[in-house]
């Protein structure tokens, strides 16, 4: 279904407000920029900003909804004969190899991380996103395997897969903040992924294998 004029205008307004806010946050820090200044920069009212972004941190982390479902999408799209963990590892390797911004391999990521590190509010929201990501993955694994509500395995496996993802993102973030080049960090991150896979048990690596069609 084609996007209507009204929907396109709303999407463009939302993106413009987000872009203005991000520029201010990167320049001065998250806590130093009030919502009124963001509204003024975007030439809209404060109420309009809140209509699009219920909380100030939503302006900076405006793509968080996609992050929450990220690992679950990898699992749901796994190939026949492929396990949940194998699918996630394959997708992460692909993103690292292609030096993708999705895993922080982009010039300017250090500035983004610096803003997060300097704000307790953003750090709390990031922790919440990571928690939601884990819970979403656990729910997906339970659905994909038909596990009973009292079966602890989906939660345990989700914890292991989530550990791989968070460890990778943390390692890349630290190296990018140290001023390293994305292509160099990419090569080192591939080695790290291999090492983390070696630490996963066979039970984790063979959980939720998709049946052949």
């Amino acid at each position: 279904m084609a996007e209507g004029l009204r929907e396109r205008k709303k999407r463009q307004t939302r993106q413009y407000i987000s872009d203005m806010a991000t520029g201010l946050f990167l320049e001065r820090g998250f806590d130093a920029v009030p919502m009124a200044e963001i509204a003024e920069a975007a030439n809209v009212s404060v109420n309009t900003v809140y209509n699009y972004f219920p909380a100030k941190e939503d302006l900076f982390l405006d793509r968080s909804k996609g992050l929450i479902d990220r690992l679950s999408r990898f699992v749901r799209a796994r190939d026949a004969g492929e396990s949940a963990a194998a699918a996630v590892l394959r997708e992460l390797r692909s993103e690292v190899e292609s030096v993708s911004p999705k895993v922080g391999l982009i010039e300017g990521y250090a500035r983004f991380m610096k803003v997060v590190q300097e704000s307790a509010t953003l750090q709390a929201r990031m922790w919440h996103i990571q928690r939601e990501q884990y819970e979403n993955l656990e729910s997906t694994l339970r659905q994909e395997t038909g596990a009973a509500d009292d079966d602890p395995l989906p939660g345990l496996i989700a914890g292991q897969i989530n550990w791989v993802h968070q460890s990778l993102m943390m390692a890349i973030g630290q190296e990018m903040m140290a001023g390293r080049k994305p292509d160099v960090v990419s090569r080192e991150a591939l080695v790290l992924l291999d090492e983390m896979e070696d630490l996963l048990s066979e039970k984790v690596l063979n959980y939720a294998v998709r049946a052949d069609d």
Side-chain angles (χ1 to χ4, degrees), residues 9-212:
K9 190 176 187 310
K10 288 177 67 175
R11 176 177 56 79
Q12 290 172 343
T13 299
R14 187 185 192 280
Q15 188 61 56
Y16 185 67
I17 294 171
S18 175
D19 290 345
M20 291 297 102
T22 299
L24 290 169
F25 293 149
L26 291 175
E27 180 183 347
R28 305 217 320 269
F30 180 80
D31 297 329
V33 181
M35 291 291 268
E37 185 175 347
I38 294 168
E40 183 178 358
N43 198 29
V44 297
S45 69
V46 173
N47 285 340
T48 297
V49 176
Y50 278 114
N51 284 339
Y52 286 100
F53 302 94
K56 184 180 170 184
E57 51 268 37
D58 294 328
L59 282 156
F60 193 68
L61 301 170
D62 62 327
R63 294 178 176 85
S64 62
K65 287 185 179 179
L67 292 174
I68 290 168
D69 192 42
R70 173 174 163 79
L71 300 181
S72 289
R73 289 198 307 272
F74 293 163
V75 170
R76 290 192 296 267
R78 69 196 185 282
D79 297 329
E82 188 175 43
S83 71
V88 172
L89 286 163
R90 173 174 54 78
E91 291 285 356
L92 292 178
R93 281 198 181 91
S94 176
E95 292 180 349
V96 171
E97 285 176 346
S98 63
V99 195
S100 172
K102 293 180 181 179
V103 285
L105 293 169
I106 184 174
E107 297 288 351
Y109 188 66
R111 293 174 64 200
F112 172 88
M113 289 301 299
K114 185 173 184 291
V115 174
V116 173
Q117 289 194 347
E118 291 176 347
S119 171
T121 300
L122 287 178
Q123 289 182 47
R125 173 57 68 88
M126 290 291 286
W127 181 89
H128 187 69
I129 289 171
Q130 292 166 8
R131 179 68 189 181
E132 286 187 289
Q133 192 175 59
Y134 160 76
E135 291 173 349
N136 190 293
L137 179 58
E138 178 188 11
S139 177
T140 296
L141 290 174
R142 203 171 290 281
Q143 293 169 6
E144 291 287 310
T145 60
D149 291 343
D150 60 351
D151 186 344
L153 266 183
L156 295 173
I157 302 297
Q160 293 291 297
I161 294 174
N162 204 46
W163 164 74
V164 170
H165 181 251
Q166 296 304 329
S167 296
L168 174 69
M169 296 302 294
M170 185 180 299
I172 289 174
Q174 289 175 342
E175 294 305 312
M176 293 302 293
M177 287 195 70
R180 310 285 304 287
K181 293 294 183 182
D183 58 334
V184 176
V185 177
S186 168
R187 293 193 292 272
E188 295 175 355
L190 286 173
V191 175
L192 178 63
L193 272 172
D194 288 342
E195 292 176 346
M196 286 192 287
E197 182 174 0
D198 288 342
L199 292 173
L200 297 176
S201 71
E202 288 300 311
K203 195 165 191 176
V204 174
L205 292 171
N206 292 302
Y207 186 78
V209 173
R210 168 155 285 165
D212 293 332

